[in-house]
Every structure is written in C-alpha cells, then in structure tokens.
Amino acid sequence: RDGAGVGADLNRCFVCHGGVHDAMCVDALRDIDRYQLPSALHACHDAFSLLWNDPQDAPGMGLSLDRNGTPAFGPDVTRAFLQRNRLERIVRSHQAQPNGYAVDHASQCVTIFSAVNYCGCGNDGAVLLVDAEGSCRIETMTGGQVFHLPTLWL
C-alpha cells in the first residue's frame, strides 16, 4: 500500500487535489484510507474536501453555484487552516483556469491546472516549480503548444 496520499506537506505548502474545510487538521489526514471504495471515501468529510472543495471570495464555507453545489472555502478558512497546521500555502488543482493557474486568498491558495486545452476550452496549462529552498515559480504552457510524451510500455 505504498503510494501518494490524499494530501502532502511540501516545504510548508499543503498540496491536494481540491481544498480544505473549516475544521481540517493535517494530522487527522493520516488516518484516511485512500484505498476505500469511492462511496466510503466520499462519506469522509476530510477526504471529500481534499478532493472537491474550491476556493471562494466570500468568508466561511459555502457552495459553488457554478459547479453544481461543490463545497467552497473562503479566505478566512484558508488562513485558519494554514495557521493551525503551521503551513504557508495551499496548492491545489481541481479547477480549469484560463491562464493555467489562479492565485487566491492573499496568495495563500494557488490553483495549478496543467491540462492544456482541457475539453477543448483553449485554456493554458501551468506547473509549479519548487526549489530546494522552498521558493516557488509558476511556468505556463499555451494552448497552441504541442507536447510529445514518451510512449510508455507496460
């Protein structure tokens, strides 16, 4: 059962697919069994938040109306989560972005979306580069670029 967890602390940046909620603590995330059946995993409030929650401008927790009621977290939730867990930033990926990335909540929540031209939307893609000292840099890829991946033989 080795492999990536549902979230990771990388140089004081919390990395996850979705986001956080107002009572989340990083220590409790170690108890999430990511090998559960999807329905059991979604029943876990922490796991669901890590997978699907999105940032919002309004304070507190809410629902994203443009994403069919996906839970959303405000800048105060981000700030409290980072302070409670002695972290500096949330890095997430669960939202296509026109420029490949978005910076929210006073630069404490960064969305990195690497899929160029996702579903034909014409969006750019981005990657976050973190050096050994923890400095971060965002590199973007335009929708017009063609990327050739090596053939993988299984």
Side-chain angles (χ1 to χ4, degrees):
R1 288 200 164 199
D2 292 338
V6 292
D9 176 355
L10 175 65
N11 291 337
R12 298 180 46 91
C13 290
F14 182 71
V15 182
C16 63
H17 179 258
V20 298
H21 64 75
D22 53 359
M24 187 178 285
C25 182
V26 171
D27 290 336
L29 302 180
R30 291 181 182 89
D31 296 332
I32 295 174
D33 181 359
R34 69 183 190 96
Y35 296 98
Q36 295 180 59
L37 294 173
S39 59
L41 192 60
H42 282 171
C44 172
H45 186 51
D46 285 345
F48 188 88
S49 297
L50 290 169
L51 292 171
W52 308 119
N53 286 13
D54 294 326
Q56 66 180 8
D57 292 335
M61 295 298 298
L63 297 176
S64 176
L65 299 179
D66 62 336
R67 291 177 56 93
N68 297 319
T70 299
F73 58 100
D76 57 327
V77 174
T78 295
R79 206 170 24 258
F81 171 80
L82 295 174
Q83 187 174 42
R84 181 172 48 254
N85 293 287
R86 296 182 302 280
L87 297 166
E88 295 176 3
R89 183 173 291 114
I90 296 169
V91 178
R92 59 182 299 278
S93 60
H94 176 243
Q95 278 180 297
Q97 300 296 325
N99 299 320
Y101 70 94
V103 179
D104 294 297
H105 302 172
S107 300
Q108 292 183 313
C109 181
V110 179
T111 300
I112 301 291
F113 197 81
S114 61
V116 176
N117 197 24
Y118 181 70
C119 295
C121 292
N123 63 288
D124 292 343
V127 293
L128 180 70
L129 304 172
V130 182
D131 66 19
E133 288 79 40
S135 295
C136 299
R137 185 175 86 237
I138 296 172
E139 293 278 332
T140 59
M141 304 162 281
T142 65
Q145 290 177 302
V146 177
F147 296 92
H148 297 283
L149 299 176
T151 303
L152 300 176
W153 296 97
L154 302 176

